[in-house]
Amino acid sequence: MRIRLDISYDGTHFRGWARQPQLRTVQGTIEAALARIVGSDVQLVVAGRTDAGVHASGQVAHVDLDDAQWERVKARRGVPQDSAAAALAGRLRGVFGAYSDVAVRASSEAPAGFDARFSAVWRRYEYRLADDVAGYDPLARHNTTSIKGMLDVDAMDAAAQSLIGLHDFAAYCKAREEATTIRTLLDYRWRRDERGVLVAHVKADAFCHSMVRALVGACAAVGEGRLKVADVAVLRDRLERTSEFKVLAARGLTLSEVGYPDASLLAQRAEQTRARRDLGAD
C-alpha cells in the first residue's frame, strides 16, 4: 500500500530533510514516528529535499507499507478500514506531540502510478526578505531574512522575470558530480506584502542544489543597486559560480507547493522523469 503524506515543518532546528546518522532531520523524525505506528522501519520518498534551516508548507512524500504494516494501520479501533489511510495523519500528530515543528497535515491512499518525487511536474518556493521598509519583526525571525537598506522591488522583479525559461543554471547551483543544472524556470516574481516584506515566488520543474537561494541573492543585489537588471542573465549565461552576489540565508525559504498531473498521467510522468535522471539529472 502506497500512502501519500502532505507535510509542513519549521526547518529551524532540523539539519535538512534527508536522514543523517546522529542528526535530527525531517525524514528521520517522520520515519521514526511511522515505525512506532506500523511496527517496523519504513522509508519515505520526498518530492524535494530541503537543506538545513529551510521550511515547508506544502511538502509531499510517499511511503510504501507491506501487508503486515498496513494491517497495523487498519487495525486501529474506532477507525473504519476505508478511512485508515486518512486517519494516519492524526495518529502521527499524536506521536509528534503538541506544538511539534513538523506535521503531516493529510494522508491518503496514493493513486496508481503516483511517485512523490518522479511524478511531480513542478515545485514552488517562497522567499521572505525584510529590508528597512518592513523593519525587523522578531516574531518572523525564523522564516524571514533581514537585510539593511531599502531595496528596489520593481528592479528585482524585472531581473527575476529575465531569468524565466529553459536554461543552464550552473551559475546559480552548487555543482554535484554527474548532475545536470539545466532547468525550466516557470515563474519568478517579487512583490511587497501588506507589511512591506519582500516576497519572492519561484516555480520550476525542479531545482538544483542551492538554486533558489542563489536566485534570490542575485535579485537582492539588483535591489541594492550592486547589480543591474541585465546582469543576472549575463551571469547565468557564464555558466559558472560567481562572487558578485551572496547566496541568501536558508531561514527565508519555504517550499510552498508541489504540482502533479492528472491521475491518469502520473505513471507516465514518473517514467519520463526517471529516464532523465538516468541520464545524469539531479
Side-chain angles (χ1 to χ4, degrees):
M1 174 63 67
R2 177 164 291 185
I3 304 296
R4 169 175 168 157
L5 304 176
D6 291 88
I7 303 165
S8 297
Y9 46 88
D10 176 345
T12 304
H13 300 298
F14 287 107
R15 294 297 298 272
W17 167 268
R19 185 194 322 105
Q20 301 180 60
Q22 310 304 316
L23 296 176
R24 185 171 186 256
T25 67
V26 183
Q27 180 182 12
T29 298
I30 299 175
E31 287 179 350
L34 280 167
R36 287 182 59 181
I37 293 171
V38 304
S40 53
D41 291 342
V42 297
Q43 184 170 347
L44 293 172
V45 175
V46 72
R49 293 186 179 186
T50 50
D51 291 335
V54 177
H55 318 293
S57 59
Q59 180 68 279
V60 179
H62 77 248
V63 60
D64 290 329
L65 304 180
D66 62 28
D67 290 344
Q69 292 169 332
W70 179 232
E71 286 302 319
R72 285 180 65 106
V73 173
K74 292 193 299 180
R76 180 73 170 182
R77 289 184 179 180
V79 177
Q81 290 199 3
D82 59 357
S83 302
L88 183 59
R91 296 176 67 180
L92 285 166
R93 284 193 289 272
V95 176
F96 294 143
Y99 305 106
S100 173
D101 52 3
V102 59
V104 174
R105 297 181 293 102
S107 54
S108 59
E109 292 186 26
F114 176 81
D115 185 293
R117 179 187 180 192
F118 290 116
S119 295
V121 292
W122 51 261
R123 287 89 170 158
R124 188 196 310 275
Y125 282 85
E126 176 181 286
Y127 197 93
R128 296 175 55 81
L129 183 62
D131 63 357
D132 288 350
V133 173
Y136 174 69
D137 179 0
L139 297 182
R141 68 190 185 279
H142 291 311
N143 73 342
T144 305
T145 297
S146 294
I147 191 169
K148 294 180 179 179
M150 296 175 59
L151 304 185
D152 183 342
V153 67
D154 292 332
M156 294 169 66
D157 189 55
Q161 293 186 40
S162 74
L163 294 169
I164 293 173
L166 174 63
H167 301 284
D168 189 333
F169 286 94
Y172 292 98
C173 298
K174 284 187 178 179
R176 286 182 170 176
E177 189 175 353
E178 297 184 358
T180 182
T181 49
I182 296 173
R183 297 289 188 271
T184 300
L185 187 60
L186 299 166
D187 187 29
Y188 184 16
R189 50 196 163 86
W190 284 90
R191 63 176 177 85
R192 286 191 186 270
D193 69 9
E194 63 280 358
R195 283 196 57 254
V197 175
L198 292 144
V199 182
H201 293 276
V202 192
K203 176 181 175 183
D205 58 346
F207 292 92
C208 44
H209 191 209
S210 190
M211 180 174 167
V212 182
R213 292 193 289 134
L215 290 172
V216 297
C219 286
V222 172
E224 293 173 313
R226 294 190 292 110
L227 291 178
K228 297 178 181 178
V229 169
D231 289 341
V232 296
V234 171
L235 292 173
R236 177 199 64 206
D237 294 339
R238 289 180 185 172
L239 303 181
E240 58 184 17
R241 298 283 280 183
T242 178
S243 60
E244 294 191 44
F245 62 85
K246 293 182 179 180
V247 175
L248 292 189
R251 70 177 63 237
L253 185 59
T254 299
L255 173 59
S256 57
E257 190 177 4
V258 181
Y260 293 94
D262 290 338
S264 62
L265 300 175
L266 287 167
Q268 179 182 340
R269 171 63 183 181
E271 184 178 353
Q272 292 171 343
T273 307
R274 284 193 186 92
R276 288 199 296 272
R277 294 296 189 267
D278 288 343
L279 292 174
D282 183 23

